[in-house]
């Protein structure tokens, strides 16, 4: 089976330390019942370890991107950490623009100056996902920086200006708002902001956690989501909610409640179509096991190799692990 999409984690470094960020604060350990071949080493999820070395610019441009092309990958999504923390990000963007791959990235946009925005617009980028979790006061509180909102909006403005100057409709720009305890009231305001900014879409991502410790006001969130959708419908503006599509108040309450249940899990296609590559070049599936390294092996050999096949077989036999039950990539009916 071919690889459809690759999530390339360029770095674990970030200019923010958000309490809700999966990269730094969440516990998504793999199931203890997963017994893998000895060749597969457990990986520390999104936390740098001693002697950790990010792939170089040359590693990414001369090895990762060509291997993805040779393996039939359709698209690469860049993420982190914060993608723009890497000073070579524009060079990587230009290399992707020269490739035959579709590509996109997500960012808090605080480091997107005019030069970076110009490079994005000129490098055939398909989509940019802008992380913005509420109006100024709420976003700054959730992000832990007093100027996070203003810097994000400034970076977004540079990108919109560059897209207009390029005379095209790419990249598609989506604001992604992580709905969580503390910003339940923001969907309506975010819909208005997104349309005022002139972006293309607005998505609301339900915070994915293994264990919720703060109460989520599902009634308030549902009312605001409904108002946001009504406004968007009147203005013919696209909004989405994921990984639970069109949730009502009861579904929102269930998502943010304990204990974990199988209610929202409908199956998984991710490990049969997609993979992730961490900043060291390790290939990892949805759960955190190193299947190989693209600097030492061919991506296609890792994808079709015995370790990956064993992982898929374990998942099929054992069913969903705990981490699957609130996965943002889960398949929805």
């Amino acid at each position: 089976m071919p690889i459809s999409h690759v999530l390339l984690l360029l770095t674990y470094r970030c200019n923010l330390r958000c309490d809700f960020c999966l990269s730094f604060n969440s516990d998504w350990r793999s199931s203890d019942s997963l017994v893998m071949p000895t060749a597969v080493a457990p990986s520390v999820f999104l936390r740098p370890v001693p002697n950790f070395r990010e792939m170089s610019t040359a590693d990414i441009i001369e090895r990762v991107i060509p291997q993805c092309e040779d393996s039939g990958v359709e698209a690469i999504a860049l993420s982190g950490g914060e993608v723009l923390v890497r000073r070579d990000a524009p060079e990587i963007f230009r290399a992707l623009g020269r490739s035959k791959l579709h590509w996109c990235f997500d960012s808090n946009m605080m480091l997107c100056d005019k030069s970076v925005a110009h490079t994005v617009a000129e490098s055939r980028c398909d989509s940019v996902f802008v992380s913005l979790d509420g109006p100024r006061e709420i976003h700054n509180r959730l992000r832990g920086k007093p100027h996070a909102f203003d810097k994000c909006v400034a970076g977004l403005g540079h990108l919109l200006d560059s897209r207009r100057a390029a005379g095209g409709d790419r990249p598609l720009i989506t604001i992604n708002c992580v709905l969580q305890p503390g910003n339940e009231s923001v969907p309506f305001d975010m819909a208005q902001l997104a349309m005022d900014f002139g972006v293309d879409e607005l998505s609301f991502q339900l915070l994915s956690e293994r264990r919720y410790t703060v109460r989520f006001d599902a009634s308030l969130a549902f009312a605001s989501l409904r108002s946001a959708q009504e406004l968007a419908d009147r203005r013919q503006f696209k909004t989405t909610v994921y990984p639970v599509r069109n949730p009502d108040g009861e579904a929102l309450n269930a998502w943010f409640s304990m204990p974990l249940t199988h209610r929202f899990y409908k199956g998984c296609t991710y490990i049969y179509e997609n993979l992730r590559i961490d900043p060291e070049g390790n290939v990892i599936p949805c759960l955190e096991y190193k299947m190989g390294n693209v600097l030492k092996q061919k991506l296609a050999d890792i994808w079709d190799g015995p370790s990956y096949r064993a992982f898929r077989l374990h998942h099929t036999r054992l069913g969903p692990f705990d981490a699957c039950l609130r996965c943002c990539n889960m398949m929805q009916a």
Side-chain angles (χ1 to χ4, degrees):
M1 68 202 80
I3 308 167
S4 176
H5 293 77
V6 167
L7 175 62
L8 176 57
L9 301 171
L10 284 183
T11 182
Y12 290 149
R13 292 175 289 134
C14 187
N15 52 338
L16 295 173
R17 288 294 187 272
C18 309
D19 286 341
F20 59 91
C21 180
L22 290 175
S23 297
F24 297 100
N25 300 299
S26 291
D27 178 11
W28 285 90
R29 287 192 303 270
S30 305
S31 172
D32 292 335
S33 62
L34 181 62
V35 180
M36 294 297 295
T38 55
V40 181
S43 172
V44 179
F45 181 35
L46 300 183
R47 289 174 176 84
V49 295
N51 302 317
F52 185 89
R53 185 189 75 86
E54 289 182 353
M55 287 186 289
S56 68
T57 311
D59 288 336
I60 294 169
I61 293 176
E62 298 174 10
R63 305 189 70 171
V64 176
I65 293 175
Q67 285 200 55
C68 287
E69 291 181 297
D70 293 343
S71 300
V73 173
E74 297 176 9
I76 290 183
L78 305 179
S79 189
E82 167 53 44
V83 169
L84 298 182
V85 164
R86 282 193 64 136
R87 295 182 179 180
D88 61 354
E91 190 173 349
I92 295 170
F93 295 167
R94 286 190 287 268
L96 285 166
R98 295 189 298 268
S99 76
K100 62 185 179 183
L101 300 164
H102 294 284
W103 71 281
C104 64
F105 72 98
D106 60 68
S107 173
N108 61 41
M109 299 302 285
M110 295 172 65
L111 300 175
C112 183
D113 58 20
K114 291 181 180 180
S115 176
V116 170
H118 175 77
T119 300
V120 173
E122 294 292 329
S123 298
R124 205 176 46 78
C125 179
D126 291 280
S127 302
V128 177
F129 298 88
V130 178
S131 299
L132 193 62
D133 297 320
R136 180 178 287 105
E137 180 181 352
I138 293 176
H139 181 75
N140 288 347
R141 172 168 50 79
L142 292 174
R143 295 283 169 166
K145 287 284 183 73
H147 304 296
F149 179 89
D150 291 332
K151 289 183 177 181
C152 174
V153 171
L156 173 58
H158 294 322
L159 183 58
L160 287 164
D161 289 343
S162 293
R163 184 174 71 171
R164 283 191 289 268
D169 57 359
R170 286 290 184 271
L172 184 81
I173 302 174
T174 299
I175 289 179
N176 187 67
C177 175
V178 179
L179 201 57
Q180 59 190 286
N183 72 345
E184 298 96 332
S185 66
V186 306
F188 180 82
D189 293 332
M190 289 304 298
Q192 186 65 65
L193 279 173
M195 288 183 280
D196 290 345
F197 289 150
V199 302
D200 303 292
E201 298 179 4
L202 170 65
S203 62
F204 294 102
Q205 177 184 353
L206 304 184
L207 178 66
S208 295
E209 287 279 11
R210 288 282 294 276
R211 298 169 183 83
Y212 294 111
T213 59
V214 180
R215 180 182 177 275
F216 180 81
D217 191 334
S219 297
L220 177 59
F222 175 64
S224 191
L225 280 171
R226 183 171 55 187
S227 297
Q229 189 61 60
E230 291 172 353
L231 175 63
D233 289 344
R234 290 197 300 270
R235 301 275 292 274
Q236 296 184 316
F237 180 75
K238 184 176 180 179
T239 63
T240 58
V241 183
Y242 74 99
V244 181
R245 293 199 293 262
N246 303 316
D248 56 20
E250 196 274 332
L252 287 171
N253 187 63
W255 179 268
F256 286 95
S257 296
M258 294 298 297
L260 289 167
T261 72
H262 286 61
R263 168 174 177 162
F264 299 104
Y265 182 80
K266 305 296 182 183
C268 176
T269 61
Y270 189 89
I271 59 176
Y272 299 95
E273 299 173 356
N274 310 279
L275 59 79
R276 293 187 291 184
I277 301 175
D278 77 9
E280 283 191 304
N282 298 308
V283 174
I284 53 179
C286 53
L287 296 179
E288 306 317 314
Y289 285 88
K290 299 175 184 177
M291 298 294 167
N293 189 290
V294 291
L295 303 184
K296 302 174 182 177
Q297 303 159 265
K298 290 183 179 180
L299 180 61
D301 291 343
I302 299 172
W303 177 251
D304 292 325
S307 295
Y308 233 121
R309 291 200 300 270
F311 179 84
R312 297 185 188 106
L313 181 61
H314 274 282
H315 184 274
T316 300
R317 288 178 173 175
L318 297 176
F321 309 113
D322 285 351
C324 301
L325 302 182
R326 286 199 184 105
C327 174
C328 60
N329 293 309
M330 70 171 58
M331 185 176 72
Q332 289 292 295

